[in-house]
Amino acid sequence: MPRDALMDWLTTRSPEQLALVADRGALRTRGREPSLEDYAHLLKQDHVVARLAGFCTLPELQVLRAIAWLATQRYGPFPDDYWRTPDPRPVPRAEVLTLLAGQDEDLRAAADAALERLADQALLQPPHGEQCMVAPYVHRNLADGMGLGRSVAYLVARYFNAPEVHRLATALGLDKVPSREAAERDVVAHLTDPALLRALLDKAPASATELLERLTYEGPMVEAHCFNLAGSYGSNKYAFFAGGSGHAGADWLAARGLLLPAGVPHIAELPAEVAIAVRGELRATFTPFPPEPHDLERAEGVEPAAAAAMGTLTWQLERLLAGCAEQPLTLRKSGGVAVRDTKRLAKDIADPETVRFLLELCFRAGLLGLLAEPAEPPANRRAKVPPPTQVVLPTTAYDRWLSRAPAQRLVPIIAAWAVCRDIPLWWPDPDQTPVALAGLDDPDAVSLRYALLEALGAAPSLRAADAPPYLVPAATWHRPARIPQGPAGAQRIESTLREAALLGVIGQGALTRLGHTVLDLLRTGEAWKSADAALAPVLTEILPAPRTTARFQSDLTAVVSGAPEAKLAALLNAVGVRESEGHAVVWRISHASVRHALDSGHQPDTLLDQLRAVAEGELPQPLEYLIKDVGRTHGRMRVVRSGCCIRSDDEALLAELVHAKPLRALGLRLIAPTVLISASPERETVTALRAAGYAPAVEAETGATLVEQPPTRRAPDPHRRRR
């Protein structure tokens, strides 16, 4: 690509157009925007062109293949010497259009539009006019996309010595000439003349005709022992095999130059001219439009199904992050979360596979992070200090996330999934145990996600996700270089669709409103920049407003019909234990849970007032009696932080503690009518008293009652650190 032409073209591009090329080609280093000189240098590199080609649709890829194939016919195979700057290989734009569309005006217009899109994506080299040029990467990797072999002239010149060339001339009935060059010229002229070639093909026996048809439409290479190496080891010349190949049709074709050596032992190749003669015309496959959905089942209840999935996702995320805050996850030395931790979380949330998926999204959304905990120094001072232990904890962003409405909590999760370079529900090695946060990187994951959403978006209100015969070809049309093939590819597609269903991006096999929003973000590139602004209003419309009231029942349960507001959930979490999730959230209030609320600083009267403020109706009498009863007994004894002692104005209560069997391990001893001393530390004493059914309060050395708050540990927020 001439530097001046490329630089001139780059100066005409808008910042948005250049940014799109930079995003797709991964041209930024350490967040720095590339200069025009950087673009000019990087757009010549094979790895950048490969990334850009990965974003091509099927017709755009077909256009690139047509240009590369025409260049090969005009200039010969592309040289293998990477260290040299190759000469330009332009081909006429008109020939490209004719190869793709013939004289069909509509198809020619579609092919011309594809050429313009390739120019915008920097895959068609400037200057953009009557000649088309592409990068060396395209010539090396896409020139065989026509499904045709190499030319007669190339194969004869490269793989035959003079005796074989003269033998071909004789078999074709050509006049005898003295030199190899003249004989080769006559053979090539005969086999490239359409009329003479057609007449020769008409004489082919049935076995030869059958082989010709197969090679023309299924690929030019065939295993046939028609030729053997001529000369010493390392020679690239071939001679006719004296005994024949054993296949009458292959031998007939080889004898007349219709099947030639491919440069690999025992492999023969059908020349391009012969295949074109069998096809009748030279036309490249061109598919300007994606497949249309036909005969697909209608999807009913798409949005309700998506809303239900999002509601389930909301409480699963809350429980998951709370579980990580309560007991951090251990990171294995080999990478990934310990399997036992994943199973522990799965008991109360979902299956381990779903937990792995949610952990990955929370980590990529910045709600979970890594924290290095220093190991305890060894007793032997000369021993090596072990390295810090990595644990997974909620980040400082988690506390802000908790204060948001349910719909807003899903925004960073959906945004993280849209650009996640992994398919968390798919594990590449079936012989290994899947682990969460393994650090996998799949460069094709986002393109696969985008292509599937495009295919689903083209089939509104239809169960396209349940119809692979439509879905896979339609998705392949949008990203042919990124859609995986084979059994592993089918598993990756199925896993991506399951992820979309769990998030409410698809419902009942069809794309939802949320799914269309994610698709638009991926189309425009905003998914990498400001996805939150587009996702927040859509999620708010889909999910109902959070509930601010609860129904308190005489069986000491509190029920919230729907997702509770953050403040309501915090209050009920303080006074009760969450028992169930779903369309209704249930808390169980007990003596222990009320005591825990009082330990955390609540006062009985204040707690009752707060519960009345959020109650749908009056509080049941059993609940009021329970809170008042626990309030009367709470703090009647006090554990003083001095190594430690227990004091109480109730002498009978202290006498009871001294003789209580569950407390014998504490070694309690009465040293005054209102004071006990314990042989155990403060924390063990408090824990033992509460396990025995008592309600002690903790008192400081100054006599002030201490409010017990669990220690809060957070990992740093990686997103804030990047800003």
PDB file of all heavy atoms in Angstrom, residues 210-224:
ATOM      1  N   GLU A 210     -17.440 -38.635 -13.761  1.00  0.00           N
ATOM      2  CA  GLU A 210     -17.863 -38.672 -12.358  1.00  0.00           C
ATOM      3  C   GLU A 210     -16.823 -38.028 -11.440  1.00  0.00           C
ATOM      4  O   GLU A 210     -17.151 -37.240 -10.541  1.00  0.00           O
ATOM      5  CB  GLU A 210     -18.108 -40.116 -11.936  1.00  0.00           C
ATOM      6  CG  GLU A 210     -18.595 -40.259 -10.505  1.00  0.00           C
ATOM      7  CD  GLU A 210     -18.773 -41.719 -10.108  1.00  0.00           C
ATOM      8  OE1 GLU A 210     -18.696 -42.596 -10.995  1.00  0.00           O
ATOM      9  OE2 GLU A 210     -18.967 -41.973  -8.904  1.00  0.00           O
ATOM     10  N   LEU A 211     -15.541 -38.338 -11.684  1.00  0.00           N
ATOM     11  CA  LEU A 211     -14.471 -37.745 -10.879  1.00  0.00           C
ATOM     12  C   LEU A 211     -14.383 -36.243 -11.113  1.00  0.00           C
ATOM     13  O   LEU A 211     -14.173 -35.457 -10.173  1.00  0.00           O
ATOM     14  CB  LEU A 211     -13.146 -38.425 -11.222  1.00  0.00           C
ATOM     15  CG  LEU A 211     -11.909 -37.936 -10.446  1.00  0.00           C
ATOM     16  CD1 LEU A 211     -12.098 -38.145  -8.943  1.00  0.00           C
ATOM     17  CD2 LEU A 211     -10.647 -38.659 -10.934  1.00  0.00           C
ATOM     18  N   LEU A 212     -14.555 -35.807 -12.364  1.00  0.00           N
ATOM     19  CA  LEU A 212     -14.526 -34.384 -12.686  1.00  0.00           C
ATOM     20  C   LEU A 212     -15.603 -33.617 -11.920  1.00  0.00           C
ATOM     21  O   LEU A 212     -15.353 -32.534 -11.374  1.00  0.00           O
ATOM     22  CB  LEU A 212     -14.723 -34.181 -14.193  1.00  0.00           C
ATOM     23  CG  LEU A 212     -13.490 -34.290 -15.086  1.00  0.00           C
ATOM     24  CD1 LEU A 212     -13.904 -34.226 -16.550  1.00  0.00           C
ATOM     25  CD2 LEU A 212     -12.517 -33.163 -14.777  1.00  0.00           C
ATOM     26  N   GLU A 213     -16.819 -34.147 -11.903  1.00  0.00           N
ATOM     27  CA  GLU A 213     -17.924 -33.478 -11.205  1.00  0.00           C
ATOM     28  C   GLU A 213     -17.605 -33.317  -9.718  1.00  0.00           C
ATOM     29  O   GLU A 213     -17.846 -32.259  -9.121  1.00  0.00           O
ATOM     30  CB  GLU A 213     -19.217 -34.283 -11.380  1.00  0.00           C
ATOM     31  CG  GLU A 213     -19.805 -34.220 -12.768  1.00  0.00           C
ATOM     32  CD  GLU A 213     -20.443 -32.866 -13.062  1.00  0.00           C
ATOM     33  OE1 GLU A 213     -20.890 -32.197 -12.108  1.00  0.00           O
ATOM     34  OE2 GLU A 213     -20.482 -32.481 -14.240  1.00  0.00           O
ATOM     35  N   ARG A 214     -17.056 -34.363  -9.136  1.00  0.00           N
ATOM     36  CA  ARG A 214     -16.769 -34.302  -7.698  1.00  0.00           C
ATOM     37  C   ARG A 214     -15.694 -33.270  -7.399  1.00  0.00           C
ATOM     38  O   ARG A 214     -15.834 -32.467  -6.465  1.00  0.00           O
ATOM     39  CB  ARG A 214     -16.353 -35.687  -7.201  1.00  0.00           C
ATOM     40  CG  ARG A 214     -16.047 -35.739  -5.715  1.00  0.00           C
ATOM     41  CD  ARG A 214     -16.122 -37.165  -5.206  1.00  0.00           C
ATOM     42  NE  ARG A 214     -15.134 -38.033  -5.825  1.00  0.00           N
ATOM     43  CZ  ARG A 214     -13.876 -38.168  -5.382  1.00  0.00           C
ATOM     44  NH1 ARG A 214     -13.466 -37.472  -4.334  1.00  0.00           N
ATOM     45  NH2 ARG A 214     -13.047 -38.997  -5.975  1.00  0.00           N
ATOM     46  N   LEU A 215     -14.620 -33.269  -8.168  1.00  0.00           N
ATOM     47  CA  LEU A 215     -13.530 -32.334  -7.915  1.00  0.00           C
ATOM     48  C   LEU A 215     -13.924 -30.892  -8.229  1.00  0.00           C
ATOM     49  O   LEU A 215     -13.428 -29.949  -7.603  1.00  0.00           O
ATOM     50  CB  LEU A 215     -12.297 -32.725  -8.739  1.00  0.00           C
ATOM     51  CG  LEU A 215     -11.666 -34.087  -8.416  1.00  0.00           C
ATOM     52  CD1 LEU A 215     -10.464 -34.341  -9.312  1.00  0.00           C
ATOM     53  CD2 LEU A 215     -11.251 -34.151  -6.956  1.00  0.00           C
ATOM     54  N   THR A 216     -14.815 -30.702  -9.174  1.00  0.00           N
ATOM     55  CA  THR A 216     -15.228 -29.347  -9.552  1.00  0.00           C
ATOM     56  C   THR A 216     -15.988 -28.661  -8.428  1.00  0.00           C
ATOM     57  O   THR A 216     -15.797 -27.462  -8.176  1.00  0.00           O
ATOM     58  CB  THR A 216     -16.098 -29.394 -10.822  1.00  0.00           C
ATOM     59  OG1 THR A 216     -15.322 -29.916 -11.901  1.00  0.00           O
ATOM     60  CG2 THR A 216     -16.623 -28.020 -11.180  1.00  0.00           C
ATOM     61  N   TYR A 217     -16.841 -29.403  -7.733  1.00  0.00           N
ATOM     62  CA  TYR A 217     -17.718 -28.775  -6.742  1.00  0.00           C
ATOM     63  C   TYR A 217     -17.324 -29.063  -5.293  1.00  0.00           C
ATOM     64  O   TYR A 217     -17.802 -28.394  -4.378  1.00  0.00           O
ATOM     65  CB  TYR A 217     -19.164 -29.227  -6.977  1.00  0.00           C
ATOM     66  CG  TYR A 217     -19.708 -28.759  -8.308  1.00  0.00           C
ATOM     67  CD1 TYR A 217     -19.824 -29.636  -9.386  1.00  0.00           C
ATOM     68  CD2 TYR A 217     -20.076 -27.435  -8.485  1.00  0.00           C
ATOM     69  CE1 TYR A 217     -20.312 -29.206 -10.612  1.00  0.00           C
ATOM     70  CE2 TYR A 217     -20.567 -26.992  -9.708  1.00  0.00           C
ATOM     71  CZ  TYR A 217     -20.687 -27.883 -10.764  1.00  0.00           C
ATOM     72  OH  TYR A 217     -21.162 -27.443 -11.982  1.00  0.00           O
ATOM     73  N   GLU A 218     -16.447 -30.036  -5.068  1.00  0.00           N
ATOM     74  CA  GLU A 218     -16.078 -30.377  -3.698  1.00  0.00           C
ATOM     75  C   GLU A 218     -14.637 -30.030  -3.357  1.00  0.00           C
ATOM     76  O   GLU A 218     -14.213 -30.206  -2.218  1.00  0.00           O
ATOM     77  CB  GLU A 218     -16.312 -31.879  -3.454  1.00  0.00           C
ATOM     78  CG  GLU A 218     -17.771 -32.289  -3.562  1.00  0.00           C
ATOM     79  CD  GLU A 218     -17.977 -33.763  -3.299  1.00  0.00           C
ATOM     80  OE1 GLU A 218     -17.027 -34.415  -2.823  1.00  0.00           O
ATOM     81  OE2 GLU A 218     -19.078 -34.268  -3.581  1.00  0.00           O
ATOM     82  N   GLY A 219     -13.856 -29.545  -4.328  1.00  0.00           N
ATOM     83  CA  GLY A 219     -12.468 -29.201  -4.072  1.00  0.00           C
ATOM     84  C   GLY A 219     -11.554 -29.861  -5.074  1.00  0.00           C
ATOM     85  O   GLY A 219     -11.817 -30.989  -5.531  1.00  0.00           O
ATOM     86  N   PRO A 220     -10.441 -29.213  -5.431  1.00  0.00           N
ATOM     87  CA  PRO A 220      -9.631 -29.674  -6.579  1.00  0.00           C
ATOM     88  C   PRO A 220      -8.648 -30.791  -6.272  1.00  0.00           C
ATOM     89  O   PRO A 220      -8.042 -31.327  -7.202  1.00  0.00           O
ATOM     90  CB  PRO A 220      -8.885 -28.395  -6.986  1.00  0.00           C
ATOM     91  CG  PRO A 220      -8.733 -27.637  -5.700  1.00  0.00           C
ATOM     92  CD  PRO A 220      -9.976 -27.930  -4.892  1.00  0.00           C
ATOM     93  N   MET A 221      -8.440 -31.134  -5.011  1.00  0.00           N
ATOM     94  CA  MET A 221      -7.411 -32.119  -4.664  1.00  0.00           C
ATOM     95  C   MET A 221      -8.010 -33.516  -4.532  1.00  0.00           C
ATOM     96  O   MET A 221      -9.132 -33.675  -4.032  1.00  0.00           O
ATOM     97  CB  MET A 221      -6.725 -31.740  -3.350  1.00  0.00           C
ATOM     98  CG  MET A 221      -6.096 -30.360  -3.350  1.00  0.00           C
ATOM     99  SD  MET A 221      -4.719 -30.244  -4.520  1.00  0.00           S
ATOM    100  CE  MET A 221      -4.191 -28.548  -4.237  1.00  0.00           C
ATOM    101  N   VAL A 222      -7.227 -34.527  -4.952  1.00  0.00           N
ATOM    102  CA  VAL A 222      -7.665 -35.902  -4.838  1.00  0.00           C
ATOM    103  C   VAL A 222      -6.435 -36.789  -4.642  1.00  0.00           C
ATOM    104  O   VAL A 222      -5.355 -36.520  -5.187  1.00  0.00           O
ATOM    105  CB  VAL A 222      -8.451 -36.355  -6.090  1.00  0.00           C
ATOM    106  CG1 VAL A 222      -7.568 -36.335  -7.323  1.00  0.00           C
ATOM    107  CG2 VAL A 222      -9.054 -37.742  -5.884  1.00  0.00           C
ATOM    108  N   GLU A 223      -6.584 -37.827  -3.830  1.00  0.00           N
ATOM    109  CA  GLU A 223      -5.503 -38.787  -3.655  1.00  0.00           C
ATOM    110  C   GLU A 223      -5.537 -39.779  -4.818  1.00  0.00           C
ATOM    111  O   GLU A 223      -6.502 -40.530  -4.983  1.00  0.00           O
ATOM    112  CB  GLU A 223      -5.647 -39.518  -2.321  1.00  0.00           C
ATOM    113  CG  GLU A 223      -4.509 -40.484  -2.057  1.00  0.00           C
ATOM    114  CD  GLU A 223      -4.607 -41.153  -0.690  1.00  0.00           C
ATOM    115  OE1 GLU A 223      -5.595 -40.867   0.031  1.00  0.00           O
ATOM    116  OE2 GLU A 223      -3.724 -41.967  -0.355  1.00  0.00           O
ATOM    117  N   ALA A 224      -4.504 -39.727  -5.637  1.00  0.00           N
ATOM    118  CA  ALA A 224      -4.427 -40.608  -6.817  1.00  0.00           C
ATOM    119  C   ALA A 224      -2.954 -40.843  -7.143  1.00  0.00           C
ATOM    120  O   ALA A 224      -2.158 -39.905  -7.157  1.00  0.00           O
ATOM    121  CB  ALA A 224      -5.145 -39.974  -8.007  1.00  0.00           C
TER     122      ALA A 224
END
